[in-house]
Amino acid sequence: MPHVAESVSDLIDRLGGTAHVEDEGLVVDDEEAFRRDTTRDLAWTAAFGTDETTVAAGQWLIHEAARALGAHSASIHELYMARARGDVHGFTVPAINIRAQTFDMARTVYEAADAADVGAVIVELARSEQTYTYQRPIDYATAVLAGAVAAGWRGPVFLQGDHYQFNAKKYAADPEAMTEEIRRACRLAIDAGYRNIDIDSSTLVDLSEPTRDAQQHENYVRAAELTALIRSLESDGVTISVGGEIGEVGKENSNEEELVAYLDGYRAELERRAPDAIGISKVSVQTGTSHGGVPMPDGTVAKVKLDFDVLHRLGVVARQYGLAGAVQHGASTLPDELFHRFPAVETAEIHLATGFQNTLYEHPDFPQSLHREIEAWCFANTADERKPEQTDQQFVYTTRKKAIGPFKRQLWELPTKDEILAAQRRKIAFLYTELGVNGSREMIDSYIRPVEQRRPLPDALREAIAAPGAAG
């Protein structure tokens, strides 16, 4: 069982002979032992420590280890610009939302990537997921980077803030307050090391307006405003990859007229706010899917009529505007036989979340006693979300994601997690193959130049190292 340090000095002791702090940075002395053992202790301390200064020290050590060992947080922007130019094509970048078991799932993502020479993979978390999984951006970035280090990964780590979404009701009541929520979310993400952010103001689209421009107006104005903010926060020479969205997932399918209205309005608004600023690199569209899939009364997921023609047609328009193409959301619960079709229609990116959650919860080795605890928690704590027509199975399916935070540690420490992670790895490897990103490492290396991100040494860590007898 990993060790959770109770103090900064205890944390330093856990480094043992694997690493030490020197000249405001971390030096790894025994790479194999550090990746195998020390990283896990640091990850557990950062995730479950009860002392704030110790947690902060653990976070710093992990970020420094990732820097020292070549797992740099990076932006995928330049690859997407290459795709917009037509320099690369024929693949779809998987963006994997890790809600649970973040350290071990990230390790699994990068082990599978290393085995298939994959470089084009994004790891992301939606703003809503942050809340119910108990993972602030710094928590998520730390756990993912720790997992990459444990996997032996050397290369770019594309951390992405997914669905930084406007709440339409809150916006109608107070547009400025709602926008400030998203501004703050962007700042926190960038501070945590994210270099990819998807702005979702598609919830502000008003289809009752008479023209496409009027329908998309609030959407493109806020997307441009937030793009300008993000550009102003870039301090390390890295162009953050920013995504936009024109159709809320689960609503009506998108069309060319909507996309053109959005992109024309967005371009003009961004130029007004920040002349010559770099714009979005991709745009999400609605094709007939829904987040999490649609559960049937027996708990199974309904088949979806996904319109690949929408992805193809809107991708062409997007590339004419200098973007990588269209992005597909809500896809992880689709049948396996559909995934090869995404690169065939030049889908730029695909977001995958609930399918991995389902593999965790529905794996035959998931402890039944914990199943019962989670279901009881859902009935006790999310009853207000239940729709009158839902069966118990439908209700649990739609709300069990909310239990991930309250049961975070139990899920990280499942006695049967190795068997479950093996199934996750098989699915990830399958998706890499079907989406055409096997062998993409050379392509990534050609376009992405990761920049070292140094964080100031925490005072508590400096003081503990300077104390007589300290191991660091």
Side-chain angles (χ1 to χ4, degrees), residues 127 137 164 179-192 194 197-199 226-227 229-230 233 240:
R127 184 166 169 258
Y164 277 37
T179 305
E180 182 56 31
E181 281 190 34
I182 308 300
R183 294 188 196 111
R184 181 174 182 273
C186 291
R187 293 187 187 101
L188 289 172
I190 294 168
D191 286 346
Y194 290 32
I197 298 176
D198 283 355
I199 302 300
L226 289 159
T227 303
L229 170 67
I230 290 168
L233 297 172
I240 292 171

PDB file of all heavy atoms in Angstrom, residues 127 137 164 179-192 194 197-199 226-227 229-230 233 240:
ATOM      1  N   ARG A 127     -14.911  20.654 -16.594  1.00  0.00           N
ATOM      2  CA  ARG A 127     -15.106  21.492 -15.409  1.00  0.00           C
ATOM      3  C   ARG A 127     -16.127  20.865 -14.467  1.00  0.00           C
ATOM      4  O   ARG A 127     -15.951  20.894 -13.248  1.00  0.00           O
ATOM      5  CB  ARG A 127     -15.561  22.885 -15.857  1.00  0.00           C
ATOM      6  CG  ARG A 127     -15.703  23.877 -14.719  1.00  0.00           C
ATOM      7  CD  ARG A 127     -15.820  25.297 -15.244  1.00  0.00           C
ATOM      8  NE  ARG A 127     -16.207  26.206 -14.185  1.00  0.00           N
ATOM      9  CZ  ARG A 127     -17.428  26.677 -14.002  1.00  0.00           C
ATOM     10  NH1 ARG A 127     -18.409  26.309 -14.831  1.00  0.00           N
ATOM     11  NH2 ARG A 127     -17.715  27.502 -13.010  1.00  0.00           N
ATOM     12  N   PRO A 137      -7.894  21.432 -10.844  1.00  0.00           N
ATOM     13  CA  PRO A 137      -6.888  21.316 -11.907  1.00  0.00           C
ATOM     14  C   PRO A 137      -5.506  20.912 -11.397  1.00  0.00           C
ATOM     15  O   PRO A 137      -4.850  20.065 -12.006  1.00  0.00           O
ATOM     16  CB  PRO A 137      -6.878  22.722 -12.527  1.00  0.00           C
ATOM     17  CG  PRO A 137      -8.279  23.195 -12.355  1.00  0.00           C
ATOM     18  CD  PRO A 137      -8.701  22.671 -11.008  1.00  0.00           C
ATOM     19  N   TYR A 164     -15.268  23.750 -20.570  1.00  0.00           N
ATOM     20  CA  TYR A 164     -15.372  24.900 -19.657  1.00  0.00           C
ATOM     21  C   TYR A 164     -16.641  25.627 -20.086  1.00  0.00           C
ATOM     22  O   TYR A 164     -16.620  26.547 -20.890  1.00  0.00           O
ATOM     23  CB  TYR A 164     -14.095  25.739 -19.732  1.00  0.00           C
ATOM     24  CG  TYR A 164     -13.004  25.166 -18.844  1.00  0.00           C
ATOM     25  CD1 TYR A 164     -12.844  23.782 -18.705  1.00  0.00           C
ATOM     26  CD2 TYR A 164     -12.154  25.973 -18.115  1.00  0.00           C
ATOM     27  CE1 TYR A 164     -11.877  23.237 -17.875  1.00  0.00           C
ATOM     28  CE2 TYR A 164     -11.170  25.435 -17.281  1.00  0.00           C
ATOM     29  CZ  TYR A 164     -11.042  24.068 -17.169  1.00  0.00           C
ATOM     30  OH  TYR A 164     -10.085  23.524 -16.339  1.00  0.00           O
ATOM     31  N   THR A 179     -19.633  34.479 -16.553  1.00  0.00           N
ATOM     32  CA  THR A 179     -18.408  34.569 -17.345  1.00  0.00           C
ATOM     33  C   THR A 179     -17.185  34.586 -16.453  1.00  0.00           C
ATOM     34  O   THR A 179     -16.152  33.981 -16.780  1.00  0.00           O
ATOM     35  CB  THR A 179     -18.443  35.817 -18.244  1.00  0.00           C
ATOM     36  OG1 THR A 179     -19.624  35.792 -19.056  1.00  0.00           O
ATOM     37  CG2 THR A 179     -17.212  35.862 -19.159  1.00  0.00           C
ATOM     38  N   GLU A 180     -17.288  35.246 -15.305  1.00  0.00           N
ATOM     39  CA  GLU A 180     -16.156  35.295 -14.386  1.00  0.00           C
ATOM     40  C   GLU A 180     -15.827  33.907 -13.852  1.00  0.00           C
ATOM     41  O   GLU A 180     -14.650  33.591 -13.604  1.00  0.00           O
ATOM     42  CB  GLU A 180     -16.440  36.253 -13.229  1.00  0.00           C
ATOM     43  CG  GLU A 180     -15.300  36.405 -12.229  1.00  0.00           C
ATOM     44  CD  GLU A 180     -13.983  36.849 -12.865  1.00  0.00           C
ATOM     45  OE1 GLU A 180     -14.013  37.578 -13.882  1.00  0.00           O
ATOM     46  OE2 GLU A 180     -12.915  36.454 -12.344  1.00  0.00           O
ATOM     47  N   GLU A 181     -16.833  33.061 -13.691  1.00  0.00           N
ATOM     48  CA  GLU A 181     -16.578  31.668 -13.284  1.00  0.00           C
ATOM     49  C   GLU A 181     -15.672  30.970 -14.295  1.00  0.00           C
ATOM     50  O   GLU A 181     -14.749  30.240 -13.927  1.00  0.00           O
ATOM     51  CB  GLU A 181     -17.891  30.894 -13.151  1.00  0.00           C
ATOM     52  CG  GLU A 181     -18.665  31.149 -11.876  1.00  0.00           C
ATOM     53  CD  GLU A 181     -19.811  30.163 -11.710  1.00  0.00           C
ATOM     54  OE1 GLU A 181     -19.665  28.992 -12.133  1.00  0.00           O
ATOM     55  OE2 GLU A 181     -20.863  30.563 -11.175  1.00  0.00           O
ATOM     56  N   ILE A 182     -15.950  31.180 -15.584  1.00  0.00           N
ATOM     57  CA  ILE A 182     -15.152  30.522 -16.611  1.00  0.00           C
ATOM     58  C   ILE A 182     -13.772  31.167 -16.706  1.00  0.00           C
ATOM     59  O   ILE A 182     -12.764  30.472 -16.936  1.00  0.00           O
ATOM     60  CB  ILE A 182     -15.863  30.573 -17.983  1.00  0.00           C
ATOM     61  CG1 ILE A 182     -17.300  30.030 -17.850  1.00  0.00           C
ATOM     62  CG2 ILE A 182     -15.101  29.736 -19.007  1.00  0.00           C
ATOM     63  CD1 ILE A 182     -17.387  28.603 -17.358  1.00  0.00           C
ATOM     64  N   ARG A 183     -13.702  32.478 -16.537  1.00  0.00           N
ATOM     65  CA  ARG A 183     -12.382  33.134 -16.521  1.00  0.00           C
ATOM     66  C   ARG A 183     -11.517  32.533 -15.420  1.00  0.00           C
ATOM     67  O   ARG A 183     -10.335  32.234 -15.626  1.00  0.00           O
ATOM     68  CB  ARG A 183     -12.543  34.636 -16.288  1.00  0.00           C
ATOM     69  CG  ARG A 183     -13.241  35.414 -17.387  1.00  0.00           C
ATOM     70  CD  ARG A 183     -13.144  36.906 -17.111  1.00  0.00           C
ATOM     71  NE  ARG A 183     -14.095  37.672 -17.904  1.00  0.00           N
ATOM     72  CZ  ARG A 183     -15.156  38.313 -17.400  1.00  0.00           C
ATOM     73  NH1 ARG A 183     -15.403  38.282 -16.094  1.00  0.00           N
ATOM     74  NH2 ARG A 183     -15.966  38.980 -18.188  1.00  0.00           N
ATOM     75  N   ARG A 184     -12.091  32.410 -14.244  1.00  0.00           N
ATOM     76  CA  ARG A 184     -11.335  31.866 -13.113  1.00  0.00           C
ATOM     77  C   ARG A 184     -10.911  30.423 -13.393  1.00  0.00           C
ATOM     78  O   ARG A 184      -9.788  30.019 -13.077  1.00  0.00           O
ATOM     79  CB  ARG A 184     -12.177  31.924 -11.838  1.00  0.00           C
ATOM     80  CG  ARG A 184     -11.449  31.395 -10.595  1.00  0.00           C
ATOM     81  CD  ARG A 184     -12.275  31.622  -9.341  1.00  0.00           C
ATOM     82  NE  ARG A 184     -11.557  31.149  -8.168  1.00  0.00           N
ATOM     83  CZ  ARG A 184     -11.595  29.894  -7.708  1.00  0.00           C
ATOM     84  NH1 ARG A 184     -12.340  28.987  -8.331  1.00  0.00           N
ATOM     85  NH2 ARG A 184     -10.908  29.541  -6.639  1.00  0.00           N
ATOM     86  N   ALA A 185     -11.802  29.645 -14.002  1.00  0.00           N
ATOM     87  CA  ALA A 185     -11.471  28.261 -14.337  1.00  0.00           C
ATOM     88  C   ALA A 185     -10.283  28.208 -15.289  1.00  0.00           C
ATOM     89  O   ALA A 185      -9.395  27.356 -15.147  1.00  0.00           O
ATOM     90  CB  ALA A 185     -12.684  27.566 -14.956  1.00  0.00           C
ATOM     91  N   CYS A 186     -10.237  29.110 -16.253  1.00  0.00           N
ATOM     92  CA  CYS A 186      -9.113  29.149 -17.200  1.00  0.00           C
ATOM     93  C   CYS A 186      -7.816  29.492 -16.471  1.00  0.00           C
ATOM     94  O   CYS A 186      -6.771  28.880 -16.728  1.00  0.00           O
ATOM     95  CB  CYS A 186      -9.389  30.165 -18.302  1.00  0.00           C
ATOM     96  SG  CYS A 186     -10.717  29.701 -19.435  1.00  0.00           S
ATOM     97  N   ARG A 187      -7.875  30.463 -15.586  1.00  0.00           N
ATOM     98  CA  ARG A 187      -6.663  30.855 -14.847  1.00  0.00           C
ATOM     99  C   ARG A 187      -6.140  29.691 -14.013  1.00  0.00           C
ATOM    100  O   ARG A 187      -4.930  29.425 -13.973  1.00  0.00           O
ATOM    101  CB  ARG A 187      -6.975  32.053 -13.950  1.00  0.00           C
ATOM    102  CG  ARG A 187      -7.300  33.348 -14.697  1.00  0.00           C
ATOM    103  CD  ARG A 187      -7.414  34.513 -13.738  1.00  0.00           C
ATOM    104  NE  ARG A 187      -7.880  35.728 -14.413  1.00  0.00           N
ATOM    105  CZ  ARG A 187      -9.133  36.176 -14.372  1.00  0.00           C
ATOM    106  NH1 ARG A 187     -10.037  35.511 -13.663  1.00  0.00           N
ATOM    107  NH2 ARG A 187      -9.468  37.275 -15.001  1.00  0.00           N
ATOM    108  N   LEU A 188      -7.043  29.004 -13.314  1.00  0.00           N
ATOM    109  CA  LEU A 188      -6.631  27.881 -12.473  1.00  0.00           C
ATOM    110  C   LEU A 188      -6.027  26.762 -13.310  1.00  0.00           C
ATOM    111  O   LEU A 188      -5.048  26.126 -12.910  1.00  0.00           O
ATOM    112  CB  LEU A 188      -7.825  27.354 -11.676  1.00  0.00           C
ATOM    113  CG  LEU A 188      -8.339  28.249 -10.544  1.00  0.00           C
ATOM    114  CD1 LEU A 188      -9.638  27.690  -9.967  1.00  0.00           C
ATOM    115  CD2 LEU A 188      -7.301  28.398  -9.445  1.00  0.00           C
ATOM    116  N   ALA A 189      -6.616  26.506 -14.471  1.00  0.00           N
ATOM    117  CA  ALA A 189      -6.105  25.446 -15.341  1.00  0.00           C
ATOM    118  C   ALA A 189      -4.704  25.773 -15.839  1.00  0.00           C
ATOM    119  O   ALA A 189      -3.797  24.920 -15.811  1.00  0.00           O
ATOM    120  CB  ALA A 189      -7.053  25.239 -16.520  1.00  0.00           C
ATOM    121  N   ILE A 190      -4.506  26.997 -16.276  1.00  0.00           N
ATOM    122  CA  ILE A 190      -3.190  27.388 -16.787  1.00  0.00           C
ATOM    123  C   ILE A 190      -2.161  27.380 -15.669  1.00  0.00           C
ATOM    124  O   ILE A 190      -1.022  26.922 -15.849  1.00  0.00           O
ATOM    125  CB  ILE A 190      -3.283  28.761 -17.480  1.00  0.00           C
ATOM    126  CG1 ILE A 190      -4.156  28.637 -18.728  1.00  0.00           C
ATOM    127  CG2 ILE A 190      -1.897  29.280 -17.846  1.00  0.00           C
ATOM    128  CD1 ILE A 190      -4.553  29.960 -19.346  1.00  0.00           C
ATOM    129  N   ASP A 191      -2.542  27.853 -14.490  1.00  0.00           N
ATOM    130  CA  ASP A 191      -1.633  27.813 -13.333  1.00  0.00           C
ATOM    131  C   ASP A 191      -1.223  26.377 -12.993  1.00  0.00           C
ATOM    132  O   ASP A 191      -0.104  26.129 -12.549  1.00  0.00           O
ATOM    133  CB  ASP A 191      -2.289  28.458 -12.106  1.00  0.00           C
ATOM    134  CG  ASP A 191      -2.345  29.971 -12.210  1.00  0.00           C
ATOM    135  OD1 ASP A 191      -1.669  30.541 -13.081  1.00  0.00           O
ATOM    136  OD2 ASP A 191      -3.094  30.591 -11.417  1.00  0.00           O
ATOM    137  N   ALA A 192      -2.155  25.435 -13.201  1.00  0.00           N
ATOM    138  CA  ALA A 192      -1.883  24.029 -12.876  1.00  0.00           C
ATOM    139  C   ALA A 192      -1.030  23.337 -13.929  1.00  0.00           C
ATOM    140  O   ALA A 192      -0.578  22.214 -13.713  1.00  0.00           O
ATOM    141  CB  ALA A 192      -3.198  23.272 -12.701  1.00  0.00           C
ATOM    142  N   TYR A 194      -2.099  23.110 -17.386  1.00  0.00           N
ATOM    143  CA  TYR A 194      -2.843  22.769 -18.597  1.00  0.00           C
ATOM    144  C   TYR A 194      -2.392  23.689 -19.729  1.00  0.00           C
ATOM    145  O   TYR A 194      -2.225  24.888 -19.544  1.00  0.00           O
ATOM    146  CB  TYR A 194      -4.338  22.997 -18.395  1.00  0.00           C
ATOM    147  CG  TYR A 194      -5.069  22.060 -17.477  1.00  0.00           C
ATOM    148  CD1 TYR A 194      -4.466  21.483 -16.371  1.00  0.00           C
ATOM    149  CD2 TYR A 194      -6.422  21.785 -17.697  1.00  0.00           C
ATOM    150  CE1 TYR A 194      -5.174  20.646 -15.528  1.00  0.00           C
ATOM    151  CE2 TYR A 194      -7.131  20.947 -16.855  1.00  0.00           C
ATOM    152  CZ  TYR A 194      -6.511  20.379 -15.771  1.00  0.00           C
ATOM    153  OH  TYR A 194      -7.222  19.559 -14.934  1.00  0.00           O
ATOM    154  N   ILE A 197      -7.370  24.017 -23.616  1.00  0.00           N
ATOM    155  CA  ILE A 197      -8.630  24.354 -22.945  1.00  0.00           C
ATOM    156  C   ILE A 197      -9.738  24.449 -23.983  1.00  0.00           C
ATOM    157  O   ILE A 197      -9.604  25.135 -25.003  1.00  0.00           O
ATOM    158  CB  ILE A 197      -8.523  25.688 -22.175  1.00  0.00           C
ATOM    159  CG1 ILE A 197      -7.458  25.601 -21.075  1.00  0.00           C
ATOM    160  CG2 ILE A 197      -9.873  26.075 -21.579  1.00  0.00           C
ATOM    161  CD1 ILE A 197      -7.230  26.901 -20.336  1.00  0.00           C
ATOM    162  N   ASP A 198     -10.847  23.764 -23.706  1.00  0.00           N
ATOM    163  CA  ASP A 198     -12.022  23.834 -24.577  1.00  0.00           C
ATOM    164  C   ASP A 198     -13.078  24.735 -23.947  1.00  0.00           C
ATOM    165  O   ASP A 198     -13.584  24.439 -22.858  1.00  0.00           O
ATOM    166  CB  ASP A 198     -12.611  22.434 -24.787  1.00  0.00           C
ATOM    167  CG  ASP A 198     -11.804  21.615 -25.778  1.00  0.00           C
ATOM    168  OD1 ASP A 198     -10.856  22.165 -26.369  1.00  0.00           O
ATOM    169  OD2 ASP A 198     -12.118  20.426 -25.960  1.00  0.00           O
ATOM    170  N   ILE A 199     -13.394  25.824 -24.629  1.00  0.00           N
ATOM    171  CA  ILE A 199     -14.416  26.759 -24.167  1.00  0.00           C
ATOM    172  C   ILE A 199     -15.758  26.332 -24.749  1.00  0.00           C
ATOM    173  O   ILE A 199     -15.921  26.267 -25.975  1.00  0.00           O
ATOM    174  CB  ILE A 199     -14.098  28.196 -24.619  1.00  0.00           C
ATOM    175  CG1 ILE A 199     -12.724  28.632 -24.091  1.00  0.00           C
ATOM    176  CG2 ILE A 199     -15.197  29.158 -24.166  1.00  0.00           C
ATOM    177  CD1 ILE A 199     -12.603  28.611 -22.593  1.00  0.00           C
ATOM    178  N   LEU A 226     -12.869  34.851 -24.031  1.00  0.00           N
ATOM    179  CA  LEU A 226     -12.054  33.924 -23.240  1.00  0.00           C
ATOM    180  C   LEU A 226     -10.777  33.529 -23.973  1.00  0.00           C
ATOM    181  O   LEU A 226      -9.742  33.303 -23.343  1.00  0.00           O
ATOM    182  CB  LEU A 226     -12.888  32.702 -22.861  1.00  0.00           C
ATOM    183  CG  LEU A 226     -13.950  33.042 -21.806  1.00  0.00           C
ATOM    184  CD1 LEU A 226     -15.061  32.017 -21.805  1.00  0.00           C
ATOM    185  CD2 LEU A 226     -13.320  33.157 -20.429  1.00  0.00           C
ATOM    186  N   THR A 227     -10.827  33.468 -25.292  1.00  0.00           N
ATOM    187  CA  THR A 227      -9.601  33.229 -26.048  1.00  0.00           C
ATOM    188  C   THR A 227      -8.617  34.367 -25.811  1.00  0.00           C
ATOM    189  O   THR A 227      -7.419  34.136 -25.591  1.00  0.00           O
ATOM    190  CB  THR A 227      -9.890  33.109 -27.551  1.00  0.00           C
ATOM    191  OG1 THR A 227     -10.839  32.057 -27.781  1.00  0.00           O
ATOM    192  CG2 THR A 227      -8.621  32.799 -28.333  1.00  0.00           C
ATOM    193  N   LEU A 229      -8.437  36.274 -23.223  1.00  0.00           N
ATOM    194  CA  LEU A 229      -7.926  36.127 -21.862  1.00  0.00           C
ATOM    195  C   LEU A 229      -6.816  35.079 -21.816  1.00  0.00           C
ATOM    196  O   LEU A 229      -5.742  35.308 -21.233  1.00  0.00           O
ATOM    197  CB  LEU A 229      -9.058  35.716 -20.913  1.00  0.00           C
ATOM    198  CG  LEU A 229      -8.604  35.295 -19.505  1.00  0.00           C
ATOM    199  CD1 LEU A 229      -8.029  36.475 -18.743  1.00  0.00           C
ATOM    200  CD2 LEU A 229      -9.747  34.644 -18.733  1.00  0.00           C
ATOM    201  N   ILE A 230      -7.056  33.930 -22.424  1.00  0.00           N
ATOM    202  CA  ILE A 230      -6.067  32.846 -22.417  1.00  0.00           C
ATOM    203  C   ILE A 230      -4.775  33.304 -23.070  1.00  0.00           C
ATOM    204  O   ILE A 230      -3.676  33.050 -22.565  1.00  0.00           O
ATOM    205  CB  ILE A 230      -6.648  31.597 -23.111  1.00  0.00           C
ATOM    206  CG1 ILE A 230      -7.747  30.974 -22.236  1.00  0.00           C
ATOM    207  CG2 ILE A 230      -5.555  30.570 -23.401  1.00  0.00           C
ATOM    208  CD1 ILE A 230      -8.579  29.912 -22.936  1.00  0.00           C
ATOM    209  N   LEU A 233      -2.614  35.220 -20.820  1.00  0.00           N
ATOM    210  CA  LEU A 233      -2.034  34.455 -19.708  1.00  0.00           C
ATOM    211  C   LEU A 233      -0.866  33.582 -20.140  1.00  0.00           C
ATOM    212  O   LEU A 233      -0.226  32.963 -19.303  1.00  0.00           O
ATOM    213  CB  LEU A 233      -3.116  33.582 -19.054  1.00  0.00           C
ATOM    214  CG  LEU A 233      -4.281  34.334 -18.400  1.00  0.00           C
ATOM    215  CD1 LEU A 233      -5.369  33.357 -17.959  1.00  0.00           C
ATOM    216  CD2 LEU A 233      -3.805  35.170 -17.221  1.00  0.00           C
ATOM    217  N   ILE A 240      -1.395  28.092 -26.228  1.00  0.00           N
ATOM    218  CA  ILE A 240      -2.366  27.148 -25.687  1.00  0.00           C
ATOM    219  C   ILE A 240      -3.379  26.790 -26.765  1.00  0.00           C
ATOM    220  O   ILE A 240      -3.879  27.662 -27.487  1.00  0.00           O
ATOM    221  CB  ILE A 240      -3.061  27.749 -24.451  1.00  0.00           C
ATOM    222  CG1 ILE A 240      -2.046  27.884 -23.305  1.00  0.00           C
ATOM    223  CG2 ILE A 240      -4.262  26.904 -24.015  1.00  0.00           C
ATOM    224  CD1 ILE A 240      -2.552  28.658 -22.110  1.00  0.00           C
TER     225      ILE A 240
END
